């Protein structure tokens, strides 16, 4: 890159949208029930305003997705084929057609409360679709996060951070510096926002398959606010600070180790659809400082994105992609996992091998604790519910900490990852979940014994 001269307008075109994006997605705002970010506040406002209507809206969107999928697969209409966005949205492999249909069936049954109660109860389908359920939250989060995501992606902020932080992110985690923004957005906002960010950058050629898989499964962390809800659920709200420091330590250690072992280490370093990679922040040209090169790259990126109509078009594509591409999968896989967790002893059975391990680690009430170890794969809040009645504070602390650091739960992040373009399949998620469980369990128990 030859050093260029830029006008004041060029600088403002980078600075103003980027500052707005940082404010919306990253700046923590104290609230009565904890710390959150402006995007989450906007999401909460919309939920309070139209929350009772959202289950019907989401059901309609899921059913519409199935109809569009069948029309596209059967008739290949020219109107859809001419739009790469809608063609990719509806022309999915057969397995995802089945999953979308299952999601639509679950949604209709839950909305109208028809069929077996174990499908639509408040502990299964209702947990996802009711007015305070996950899909209601995702509806509003996806609307605002998707619409304003171009503020982070299109105006140079990631180019600047990519140049500045590659020296930290690459040796520690095998990731480019721009991935630090994904992590911050997850940590302060929600894991779903991190997945949305990562998926978009992967599709655009800024992350390789390996990098996208690592970020999606390792940095889509639970927000600070929801972590407070979890520790309060097990009656240990006074321990929030040591709890969150424990979660951070366990999460950092697993983030360093997991990218270096299969399945993540075996993901190819190639780009989506065979395209050329666009991240040029790894090597700084001669004559530039790391900041200078990052800042100039940011100005060039901002200069190339000066269309207001394109900004909103990109934003609405993000929204529709998540509403229609992801919501049916979350409904199908999340409901199935919750049905299994609530109505069968499956997770108790598969938790039994952990009893001797927990006893070896001197965790009190090991048998009861084992029942909650793997149920987090269905939903990350279930371990706190299952373990809330355990007497030992140490054991409840371990259960709460583990549920947050496991990260992969099918009712939200797991379903989102499977519905995105990020190259992980169900088998990958199971293996990574188990790896995180074993790895973080040792770290968490060690710290817990020092606290209690």
């Amino acid at each position: 890159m030859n050093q260029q001269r830029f006008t004041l307008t060029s600088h403002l075109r980078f600075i103003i949208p980027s500052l707005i994006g940082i404010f919306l997605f990253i700046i923590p705002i104290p609230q009565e029930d904890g710390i959150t970010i402006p995007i989450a506040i906007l999401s909460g406002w919309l939920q309070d305003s139209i929350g009772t209507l959202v289950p019907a809206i989401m059901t309609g969107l899921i059913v519409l997705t199935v109809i569009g999928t069948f029309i596209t697969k059967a008739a290949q209409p020219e109107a859809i084929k001419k739009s790469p966005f809608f063609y990719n949205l509806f022309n999915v492999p057969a397995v995802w057609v089945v999953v979308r249909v299952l999601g639509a069936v679950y949604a209709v049954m839950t909305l109208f409360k028809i069929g077996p109660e174990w499908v639509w109860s408040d502990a299964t389908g209702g947990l996802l679709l009711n007015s305070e359920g996950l899909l209601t939250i995702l509806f509003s989060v996806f609307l605002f996060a998707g619409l304003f995501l171009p503020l982070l992606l299109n105006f140079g902020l990631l180019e600047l951070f990519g140049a500045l932080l590659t020296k930290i992110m690459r040796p520690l985690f095998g990731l480019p510096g721009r991935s630090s923004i994904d992590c911050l957005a997850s940590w302060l906002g929600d894991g779903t926002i991190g997945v949305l960010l990562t998926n978009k950058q992967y599709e655009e050629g800024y992350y390789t398959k390996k990098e996208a898989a690592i970020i999606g499964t390792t940095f889509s962390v639970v927000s600070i606010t929801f972590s407070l809800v979890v520790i309060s659920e097990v009656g240990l709200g006074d321990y929030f600070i040591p709890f969150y420091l424990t979660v951070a330590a366990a999460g950092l250690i697993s983030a360093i180790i997991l990218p270096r072992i299969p399945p993540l280490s075996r993901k190819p370093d190639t780009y989506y659809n065979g395209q050329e990679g666009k991240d040029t922040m790894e090597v700084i040209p001669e004559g530039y400082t790391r900041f200078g090169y990052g800042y100039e790259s940011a100005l060039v990126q901002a200069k190339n994105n000066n269309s207001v109509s394109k900004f909103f078009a990109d934003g609405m594509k993000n929204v529709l992609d998540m509403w229609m591409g992801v919501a049916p999968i979350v409904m199908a896989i999340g409901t199935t996992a919750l049905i299994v967790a609530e109505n069968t002893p499956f997770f108790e059975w598969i938790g039994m091998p952990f009893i001797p391990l927990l006893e070896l680690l001197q965790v009190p009430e090991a048998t009861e604790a084992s029942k909650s170890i793997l149920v987090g794969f269905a939903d990350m809040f279930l371990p706190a519910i299952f373990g809330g009645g355990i007497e030992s504070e140490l054991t409840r602390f371990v259960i709460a900490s583990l549920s947050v650091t496991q990260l992969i739960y099918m009712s939200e992040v797991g379903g989102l990852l499977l519905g995105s373009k990020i190259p992980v399949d169900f088998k990958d998620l199971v293996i990574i979940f188990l790896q995180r469980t074993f790895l973080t369990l040792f770290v968490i128990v060690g710290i817990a014994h020092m606290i209690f």
Side-chain angles (χ1 to χ4, degrees), residues 290-312:
R290 192 162 286 277
F291 176 81
Y293 181 60
Y295 188 77
E296 185 167 321
S297 299
L299 295 179
V300 171
Q301 173 73 4
K303 184 179 179 181
N304 294 333
N305 286 277
N306 57 4
S307 169
V308 175
S309 61
K310 184 179 183 299
F311 171 86
F312 285 106

Side-chain angles (χ1 to χ4, degrees), residues 15 50 78 103 113 121 137 185 199 221 239 247 252 284 304 348 367 410 432:
I15 293 170
I50 64 167
E78 283 299 317
K113 291 183 168 54
S121 74
I137 296 169
N199 183 62
V221 294
Y239 287 87
V247 167
L252 179 62
I284 305 301
N304 294 333
E348 290 184 30
T367 301
M410 300 313 297
I432 294 166

Side-chain angles (χ1 to χ4, degrees), residues 27 65 158 207 262 282 386 445:
I27 296 298
T65 303
L158 294 176
Y207 295 143
E282 300 286 330
F386 279 35
V445 172

Side-chain angles (χ1 to χ4, degrees), residues 9 31 55 58 109 148 223 239 345 356 395 410 414 423 439:
T9 302
Q31 297 282 288
M58 288 305 287
M109 291 175 69
F148 295 119
S223 69
Y239 287 87
T395 304
M410 300 313 297
L439 187 58

Side-chain angles (χ1 to χ4, degrees), residues 3 6 17 138 163 213 242 255 260 300 426 448:
Q3 293 189 346
F6 294 93
L138 293 184
R260 292 168 168 82
V300 171
F426 184 76

